[in-house]
Amino acid sequence: AYCWGDGMPDEYLAAPMSFAFDGSPEPGIRSVELGTNFGCVVSVGNEIYCWGHDERGQLGKGELVGDVFEPGDLGPVDLGSISSGNPTVERLVLGDHHACATLRDAAGPISACWGANDAGQLGIAREGDAHTPERVRTVASNADQLVGAGAEHTCLGFRRPGEGGGGRVACFGAN
């Protein structure tokens, strides 16, 4: 992946800068998502790597790690606590200081979020920031996948049973 713009520390990247994933068993990148002062990628090996500022736990590493300059520096976000087996990352969305992912394992879809939670944007069953992924509490068991995230909110899409798609959207966090 190549990134450019306002670099760290305090340097302007006028030309693209390449990022590599030396530790990943499958180093290709499937998608790149950007929040405020941080970003995450999904590798072809279904791992999530994050980099940037970590003042609210948005890098998903369990403890605040400060500034991380390249996606591969920390290793992947640990998804093992929310999923059995080796989940597939279906969607990743980022807000200002939080990240959410929809995963699919043998039991079906799982949505999990981490980072800032001051407005309830993680949709988890407690107050306070989450420094590792936590399952989103949903109002129904048919949560399909994340639709998107804004500065301090996140939205989930729901299937209508038996209709194969379409349905409703539920959002949590700031209006």
Side-chain angles (χ1 to χ4, degrees):
Y2 291 91
C3 296
W4 59 95
D6 187 15
M8 295 179 287
D10 298 324
E11 64 182 50
Y12 180 73
L13 300 175
M17 180 175 140
S18 173
F19 291 117
F21 298 94
D22 298 330
S24 177
E26 296 183 58
I29 296 172
R30 248 183 35 217
S31 67
V32 178
E33 297 295 330
L34 301 173
T36 299
N37 296 320
F38 84 109
C40 298
V41 297
V42 177
S43 74
V44 296
N46 283 307
E47 295 176 313
I48 298 172
Y49 293 85
C50 298
W51 76 98
H53 295 299
D54 191 35
E55 67 272 10
R56 304 291 300 272
Q58 64 265 44
L59 301 187
K61 295 310 289 183
E63 59 186 54
L64 298 180
V65 295
D67 293 342
V68 177
F69 301 115
E70 293 194 28
D73 284 354
L74 287 179
V77 173
D78 182 8
L79 303 172
S81 64
I82 56 167
S83 172
S84 59
N86 193 15
T88 300
V89 180
E90 291 191 341
R91 179 123 165 97
L92 177 67
V93 297
L94 274 56
D96 273 359
H97 299 98
H98 74 286
C100 297
T102 297
L103 313 171
R104 186 170 297 274
D105 64 10
I110 301 166
S111 292
C113 296
W114 59 96
N117 193 38
D118 47 331
Q121 63 265 45
L122 300 184
I124 60 177
R126 64 174 184 81
E127 294 181 5
D129 296 349
H131 297 174
T132 57
E134 293 188 26
R135 281 182 186 251
V136 172
R137 69 177 194 285
T138 59
V139 294
S141 61
N142 61 348
D144 191 16
Q145 73 172 7
L146 292 158
V147 175
E152 294 184 329
H153 65 275
T154 308
C155 297
L156 286 168
F158 292 85
R159 297 182 309 271
R160 289 187 181 159
E163 292 186 21
R168 62 187 181 92
V169 174
C171 298
F172 35 91
N175 289 332

